[in-house]
Amino acid sequence: MKNALYSGWSESIQKEGMILTAFPDSLSARIHEADIADVAVKALTEEGHDKRTYDLTGPEALSPRSIVKQISAVIDKYIDLVEITEEQVKQEWKCKGYDNEFIKYFIIGMGKNPPKAAYTVLPTVEQVTGKPARTFTQWVNENKHYFV
């Protein structure tokens, strides 16, 4: 979920009331960083986790379009989602200093055609911690100061 800050969205939302994205309907089951920490604490401090591997996701598969709607609702401000081309997103990330291989795999590949594992919601957080995974709306409420 915290990637919403690193993508440049927070600054763009604050200053321009918009975000640019090439793949507005691409799905991802983003996870709250506190859920990762909670699972790690359980795995490191309780019995029964030896040699276990946990795949973690958030509780919902979201697209950039739905993420923008949730941020907009929490901060009570309209946010314009502007779809850009694949070529424009390549240029943007190249200007940020990323190499072509990174851009091709992470930005284009994961954005244009994410693997099923990227958007498949798993119950692991709740199974390990006993609490449901936090939603993106919860995360935005905790971090709304980055967007206003």
Side-chain angles (χ1 to χ4, degrees):
M1 294 181 186
K2 198 164 192 168
N3 286 344
L5 300 179
Y6 303 129
S7 63
W9 284 16
S10 60
E11 186 176 327
S12 181
I13 290 169
Q14 284 177 0
K15 294 181 178 177
E16 301 167 11
M18 63 177 278
I19 65 106
L20 304 173
T21 188
F23 312 106
D25 299 308
S26 178
L27 293 174
S28 176
R30 297 167 184 247
I31 185 167
H32 194 299
E33 60 273 15
D35 288 330
I36 297 169
D38 288 349
V39 169
V41 167
K42 293 282 189 181
L44 294 169
T45 63
E46 294 181 354
E47 296 294 320
H49 300 282
D50 289 353
K51 299 179 183 171
R52 302 276 317 261
T53 301
Y54 295 114
D55 293 325
L56 305 176
T57 71
E60 55 199 337
L62 300 171
S63 67
R65 191 178 310 281
S66 60
I67 287 169
V68 167
K69 286 179 183 175
Q70 289 187 37
I71 296 169
S72 179
V74 170
I75 68 171
D76 194 30
K77 173 184 173 182
Y78 174 77
I79 302 167
D80 191 20
L81 184 145
V82 178
E83 189 170 355
I84 59 175
T85 67
E86 187 174 321
E87 193 54 44
Q88 286 172 306
V89 81
K90 284 179 188 177
Q91 265 316 105
E92 176 187 343
W93 284 88
K94 199 171 208 164
C95 288
K96 291 179 182 182
Y98 292 92
D99 64 38
N100 288 332
E101 190 172 317
F102 177 88
I103 294 168
K104 182 180 177 185
Y105 180 79
F106 284 104
I107 307 305
I108 305 303
M110 296 295 284
K112 190 175 186 177
N113 190 22
K116 187 176 181 182
Y119 56 83
T120 300
V121 174
L122 301 172
T124 317
V125 170
E126 187 165 11
Q127 289 171 343
V128 174
T129 68
K131 300 180 298 187
R134 293 166 178 93
T135 66
F136 188 75
T137 296
Q138 287 174 287
W139 183 88
V140 175
N141 274 300
E142 295 166 8
N143 294 279
K144 70 193 250 179
H145 59 281
Y146 289 110
F147 300 101
V148 294

